[in-house]
Amino acid sequence: MPLIETFLAAYIMLTSVATLIISLYGVFYKPHLTKKIISITIFGDAVNIFSAIVGFRYIYPVAPPILLTENPTAQDLTNFLEVAVDPVPQALVLTAIVIGMAVVSFMVFLALNVFRIYHTLDTRKIAEQRKRSEE
Amino acid sequence: MNTKTVISLLVIISSLLAISYAIADQATGVIPQTGLRNLASFYLENTLNPSNKSYWTASPEATSAIVWDYRGFDTFFETSVFYLAIVGCTLVFELYEPPKSKTTKQTELGLTIIVKVITKIVGILIVCVSASIALHGQLTPGGGFQGGAALAVLPILFIITMSRFALDRKVNDTSMIIIRALGLCGIGITVILPLFLGFITNNNAYIIQNQMKPDALVSLPSTIADKMMGGSLWMLNVSEYIAVGAGFTLAFLLLSLPERSFKKILEEEKYATY
């Protein structure tokens, strides 16, 4: 692989790992529940992008894993195998997106209920209120 | 720095090191690869192979074939997770009094008549596009979940333009729960359909089987009126489309409930708990 492409591949990998770490930082250190939820979605998206890169093929021409003929011959299938990208990570990403969406919607519902009870989503203020009500 | 901060920092640094080591040691293979992994070439070669139908799925879309056929159980459990998440959402929002509108006139609710008419036209288009995404899932990129997610735009638009009270007269929580249950029943029936076919024809059959396998000679029709339907794929896509569309509609209906229907009940709850 030429030098520039090696650099670009490394750059994409570094970016996705950096996004993962930044989203982890958001989950741990941001006190606001909305920001925590946003960080979790960014974490999921970073993992999904990483999986899509794992399935990519560095060739030209490159095609999506869809056969364009209804009755493919053996030659068609050989040509298809030469250009198609890996479909497995794509299927896994699809599953991950659905589960991520379900989990995020559940978290949003919980956060909304927390807001209705405490009138804030800041975890520091919630802890304060809880402490006060315990006293 | 307290203990929590130190532990969080340690977790972040150790995950950074672990991910970097895994990538540098090529745990994910060479990235970007130029060849194909063995599993990928098996799926691509067999997904639509008329000359060797031992492991075919009758669908030219390899990703859909993996999602609902080769790795059908993954998707089955994924649908279960989605189902449970929506059940959780409805349980969290169980405590509310049905909201009542101050006015009964439709014209006083929502935005102007121009916006409402345009929303209705766009609504028809959304239904058509999402149904086409779901029904072509076995041929082109798309499928039940994508179609359902596209359909879920419709209730948001209607809630904004017509107001929730206008929507409530036609679409309520109970009807959405019933429609979603119908979609899930469709998935359940499609999953056990091969067993019935195997029982009738006295053959071996597996759960979520689509086309015949060397030791189970049961297959669902791969073409209907000369159109490629991918056996069970279209049935599963349509059922998932209905289930996901109704599930998201239910979630948006609950999210758009006015605050006043919760306040009283939750205030009482709060003083009862603390």
Side-chain angles (χ1 to χ4, degrees), chain A residues 29 58 65 67 86 116 118 130, chain B residues 5 33 37 40 60 62 259 274:
Chain A
Y29 289 106
Y58 182 70
L67 263 169
D86 193 341
R116 277 172 185 152
Y118 295 102
R130 282 185 70 101
Chain B
T5 321
Q33 56 174 349
R37 295 180 182 84
E259 286 296 307
Y274 304 113

Side-chain angles (χ1 to χ4, degrees), chain A residues 1 6 9-10 13 50 54, chain B residues 17-34 37:
Chain A
M1 214 168 16
T6 318
M13 304 300 288
F50 185 77
V54 169
Chain B
L17 291 175
I19 296 167
S20 311
Y21 178 74
I23 295 170
D25 205 36
Q26 296 188 346
T28 50
V30 185
I31 297 174
Q33 56 174 349
T34 48
R37 295 180 182 84

